[in-house]
Amino acid sequence: AQTVTQSQPEMSVQEAETVTLSCTYDTSESNYYLFWYKQPPSRQMILVIRQEAYKQQNATENRFSVNFQKAAKSFSLKISDSQLGDTAMYFCAFMTSGTYKYIFGTGTRLKVLA
Amino acid sequence: DVKVTQSSRYLVKRTGEKVFLECVQDMDHENMFWYRQDPGLGLRLIYFSYDVKMKEKGDIPEGYSVSREKKERFSLILESASTNQTSMYLCASSLGLQENTEAFFGQGTRLTVV
């Protein structure tokens, strides 16, 4: 069975600093997709960034970037220049090619401190 | 703006009641999902539908059923509500046959069974 592990239940970071959230996954498949979702206190979940496993280049979206290590099955999220609005639960998710279903980790609660 | 709308944000029901959670999306998406979110457990898939009247069990389907009579609407049914079904329920949708597509989420329904 595929699993997603987020080993940091809670983290905090000072405003304007950089923080990295970790995610590891387990699969025997070679073709899959990885996502980071953000759930602010208002609860609407939104996509932060996505990565195709066949792409070697790490995805970036403005202040958000990933470090994708396929051999280690690791997919960490780096948030640069943290802002108060980044305070949220962050979920790592995984989808195996052909299934269209998202498997989520347990989440990391991030608090950005002023 | 794309939208996934869940009929209630908060719901209180009695043990043994039949409960309906409704979800509507306006994006013509083929795939729809029901997840349950609990602290420390992340999001767990209850049921998945990839087309009208088509459904597939997720990881925790026991005690739940679903209905998808129209493409835009996906209902989660608790046949006989129990206190261990007190939770946050999230509905999501995604475009079919596109594997790297993002899931769009509703605002969530906080269900309390007393």
Side-chain angles (χ1 to χ4, degrees):
Chain A
Q2 284 100 2
T3 57
V4 177
T5 301
Q6 294 180 250
S7 58
Q8 306 150 312
E10 292 188 359
M11 296 187 73
S12 61
V13 63
Q14 288 294 135
E15 201 174 3
E17 295 196 344
T18 295
V19 64
T20 298
L21 280 56
S22 65
C23 173
T24 58
Y25 56 93
D26 188 22
T27 184
S28 57
E29 302 290 332
S30 59
N31 198 16
Y32 50 86
Y33 306 87
L34 295 158
F35 308 82
W36 277 99
Y37 282 87
K38 170 184 177 180
Q39 187 182 43
S42 65
R43 296 186 302 180
Q44 196 99 30
M45 190 97 73
I46 56 173
L47 179 70
V48 174
I49 198 165
R50 74 187 97 187
Q51 172 85 41
E52 295 93 336
Y54 61 83
K55 286 188 178 177
Q56 299 222 345
Q57 188 171 6
N58 288 325
T60 62
E61 287 284 344
N62 301 313
R63 298 182 295 107
F64 298 88
S65 61
V66 298
N67 183 4
F68 174 48
Q69 303 285 330
K70 191 171 184 179
K73 295 180 182 174
S74 170
F75 182 60
S76 59
L77 174 70
K78 186 170 88 170
I79 306 174
S80 304
D81 185 26
S82 297
Q83 300 175 359
L84 295 177
D86 295 334
T87 292
M89 280 288 285
Y90 287 82
F91 290 97
C92 179
F94 168 95
M95 177 197 287
T96 304
S97 176
T99 64
Y100 310 108
K101 289 184 287 189
Y102 306 84
I103 300 168
F104 287 83
T106 52
T108 296
R109 185 178 301 279
L110 176 69
K111 190 167 185 179
V112 180
L113 306 171
Chain B
D1 254 3
V2 296
K3 241 184 180 166
V4 178
T5 304
Q6 295 182 230
S7 52
S8 306
R9 285 199 71 151
Y10 300 95
L11 214 50
V12 180
K13 294 292 180 181
R14 296 198 178 277
T15 302
E17 272 193 78
K18 190 167 186 175
V19 181
F20 293 84
L21 303 184
E22 307 285 347
C23 175
V24 177
Q25 50 97 0
D26 64 0
M27 296 166 282
D28 202 34
H29 282 172
E30 286 79 9
N31 302 329
M32 294 189 77
F33 311 83
W34 275 106
Y35 286 92
R36 173 175 169 159
Q37 182 178 0
D38 298 289
L41 297 178
L43 276 70
R44 293 179 291 167
L45 182 64
I46 305 171
Y47 267 98
F48 162 56
S49 170
Y50 49 92
D51 201 350
V52 175
K53 298 195 177 180
M54 306 301 282
K55 62 187 179 187
E56 193 175 305
K57 290 180 181 179
D59 299 318
I60 52 165
E62 296 78 19
Y64 304 95
S65 63
V66 290
S67 172
R68 193 164 179 204
E69 297 294 321
K70 293 185 177 181
K71 191 176 184 181
E72 66 270 19
R73 187 180 296 269
F74 191 36
S75 303
L76 180 69
I77 303 155
L78 286 65
E79 298 291 342
S80 176
S82 64
T83 54
N84 63 13
Q85 293 178 308
T86 291
S87 186
M88 171 71 78
Y89 290 88
L90 295 177
C91 175
S93 72
S94 69
L95 198 56
L97 301 179
Q98 272 192 236
E99 295 177 327
N100 199 23
T101 186
E102 68 180 281
F104 292 87
F105 283 84
Q107 77 276 30
T109 296
R110 169 82 62 191
L111 173 67
T112 302
V113 182
V114 297

